[in-house]
Amino acid sequence: MKSESVTYKSNTTTCVGHIVYDDRDTKKRPVVIVAHAWRGLDDFARQKALELANLGYLGFAIDLYGDGKTTTDDKEAANLMHPLFINRSLLQERILAAFDFIKEHKLADATRIGAIGFCFGGLAVIELLRTGAPISSAVSFHGLLGDTFTD
């Protein structure tokens, strides 16, 4: 398996994602975008990308916060998530930037891109659907579905 960090832009924000794929096969393959929970692009999201790659997908764990920001502190996680939770247009911009980036990958079948997300990431994949991006599927695992924020 090939595992690599990649950078892509969302407007002026530099995002640091993580791509995993079987590098023994050069054929294009379906993509699954993995949107992280509120603590940022962590080992859990990267592990999901690896598991998807083991199943034959191009796994892409994305960075919704920018600069690869992560935390283990709940208050800091809330502070990182809050601006994107409140400003859904900004959240859509961030996840759409990841979608636009991965569809250009040399191994990506741009006609077969799906997305999964966990908690805050579950909200993000729903917002990707709302953009009208041509994704094949979206799964929100215990997604945040509210429209108000309290910490």
Side-chain angles (χ1 to χ4, degrees):
M1 283 298 145
K2 172 120 180 167
S3 178
E4 60 187 351
S5 290
V6 294
T7 59
Y8 59 98
K9 290 288 231 181
S10 173
N11 201 353
T12 60
T13 301
T14 299
C15 298
V16 183
H18 187 78
I19 298 175
V20 187
Y21 56 93
D22 184 346
D23 58 348
R24 297 170 298 171
D25 186 356
T26 59
K27 292 184 296 191
K28 290 189 181 281
R29 65 208 65 193
V31 176
V32 179
I33 294 169
V34 180
H36 60 76
W38 73 328
R39 291 186 171 175
L41 177 50
D42 56 9
D43 289 340
F44 178 83
R46 283 190 288 276
Q47 180 63 33
K48 292 302 174 201
L50 173 61
E51 291 169 9
L52 289 159
N54 283 326
L55 294 172
Y57 296 93
L58 180 64
F60 182 35
I62 65 172
D63 174 14
L64 292 166
Y65 296 148
D67 298 320
K69 291 180 190 132
T70 63
T71 185
T72 57
D73 179 77
D74 287 350
K75 185 161 181 62
E76 187 178 352
N79 289 336
L80 287 169
M81 182 183 71
H82 184 258
L84 296 170
F85 184 88
I86 296 301
N87 185 345
R88 299 297 170 88
S89 294
L90 180 58
L91 179 55
Q92 288 178 359
E93 178 185 297
R94 293 279 172 85
I95 195 162
L96 194 54
F99 172 84
D100 289 339
F101 173 81
I102 199 62
K103 74 180 181 184
E104 300 300 325
H105 191 279
K106 66 184 178 192
L107 296 177
D109 178 346
T111 66
R112 297 189 299 164
I113 299 177
I116 64 173
F118 301 87
C119 200
F120 171 63
L123 170 65
V125 301
I126 290 170
E127 291 300 328
L128 179 60
L129 280 172
R130 289 182 175 149
T131 69
I135 63 173
S136 300
S137 61
V139 179
S140 174
F141 294 95
H142 57 86
L144 296 178
L145 303 178
D147 59 1
T148 58
F149 185 85
T150 57
D151 54 349

